Amino acid sequence: DAGVIQSPRHEVTEMGQEVTLRCKPISGHNSLFWYRQTMMRGLELLIYFNNNVPIDDSGMPEDRFSAKMPNASFSTLKIQPSEPRDSAVYFCASSFSSGGYEQYFGPGTRLTVT
Amino acid sequence: AQSVTQLDSQVPVFEEAPVELRCNYSSSVSVYLFWYVQYPNQGLQLLLKYLSGSTLVKGINGFEAEFNKSQTSFHLRKPSVHISDTAEYFCAVSDRGSYIPTFGRGTSLIVHP
């Protein structure tokens, strides 16, 4: 299995631009998580999907952030408009809800907003 | 909601020495416990987990952890570390039956030759 796939691996954009991060979970996994990692705040859960349905989006910082999961094999996290404080590493993770509860993380997208 | 405390932000140690990374969590209700490792520029990967059963859990790369319910702790140990163990280590806790873990702030293990 290829594991969780994220693209792009690096993104540099200017403040005010729209940014879209992409994630392909492990085939057969039915739970998907988006996290943000910064030195200041550590690892923060942004949103959790189960069977493609958003279950908990309480971690989404504000309306500039949105996430979708149109099917079991694809999810996006969009920031519009982006701001310098959004600079972070964004991770996608997937798990199988009838499995052992552990999460499988992608390699992350390093976002820099100038 | 759970809170997770990793008492040491950084642990320096010499190669072949033993190491313990500490993790305490807030709630005494039934929990699932995890340790993840993050190597530079990579995502987190599971080292070991406790769901039920024996309180001593063995994981990959020679690591083990012990669940102590009375002390609400889940400390990670390795008897002899290698340079390649240099990484960030995260403890995570979720309430039994929950798929959403709470992660600690991480402990940076630095192994010196």
Side-chain angles (χ1 to χ4, degrees):
Chain A
D1 198 317
V4 175
I5 299 172
Q6 291 187 247
S7 64
R9 292 294 311 275
H10 301 273
E11 177 80 37
V12 180
T13 191
E14 292 184 346
M15 183 174 62
Q17 296 297 307
E18 177 180 296
V19 175
T20 299
L21 311 182
R22 297 172 176 78
C23 175
K24 177 178 168 56
I26 292 173
S27 177
H29 283 189
N30 61 348
S31 293
L32 185 138
F33 306 79
W34 281 101
Y35 290 92
R36 177 171 67 177
Q37 185 179 40
T38 60
M39 290 292 290
M40 290 292 291
R41 302 172 69 91
L43 194 64
E44 303 173 273
L45 176 66
L46 300 177
I47 189 168
Y48 157 52
F49 291 89
N50 185 252
N51 293 324
N52 312 336
V53 176
I55 303 300
D56 184 349
D57 65 355
S58 59
M60 295 286 265
E62 49 198 274
D63 292 346
R64 297 185 298 108
F65 285 68
S66 62
K68 293 182 180 179
M69 193 163 186
N71 56 61
S73 59
F74 184 66
S75 177
T76 59
L77 178 68
K78 187 177 292 187
I79 308 173
Q80 165 65 16
S82 57
E83 296 182 3
R85 61 192 167 119
D86 301 330
S87 296
V89 181
Y90 291 81
F91 289 103
C92 174
S94 69
S95 68
F96 181 49
S97 59
S98 298
Y101 295 88
E102 66 265 32
Q103 298 181 351
Y104 295 79
F105 282 75
T109 296
R110 182 173 296 276
L111 173 65
T112 303
V113 183
T114 60
Chain B
Q2 290 281 355
S3 69
V4 180
T5 302
Q6 292 186 240
L7 294 162
D8 306 297
S9 60
Q10 203 171 83
V11 173
V13 64
F14 286 106
E15 195 173 19
E16 298 184 7
V19 70
E20 179 179 81
L21 306 184
R22 297 178 291 170
C23 174
N24 288 88
Y25 59 95
S26 59
S27 174
S28 60
V29 298
S30 296
V31 294
Y32 300 141
L33 299 156
F34 308 85
W35 276 99
Y36 288 84
V37 60
Q38 183 181 28
Y39 298 105
N41 300 314
Q42 295 186 27
L44 282 69
Q45 62 185 82
L46 184 72
L47 266 182
L48 49 79
K49 65 182 179 185
Y50 171 81
L51 302 182
S52 65
S54 172
T55 58
L56 184 62
V57 180
K58 294 190 184 298
I60 61 172
N61 301 341
F63 284 92
E64 64 180 32
E66 186 153 20
F67 168 51
N68 187 318
K69 187 175 181 179
S70 62
Q71 296 186 5
T72 59
S73 69
F74 191 54
H75 301 332
L76 181 71
R77 303 189 194 99
K78 186 170 182 178
S80 175
V81 295
H82 302 288
I83 296 286
S84 59
D85 293 324
T86 295
E88 193 82 12
Y89 290 80
F90 292 89
C91 179
V93 181
S94 62
D95 291 335
R96 187 170 289 273
S98 170
Y99 300 105
I100 304 178
T102 299
F103 283 85
R105 291 299 306 269
T107 297
S108 178
L109 175 63
I110 303 168
V111 182
H112 297 286

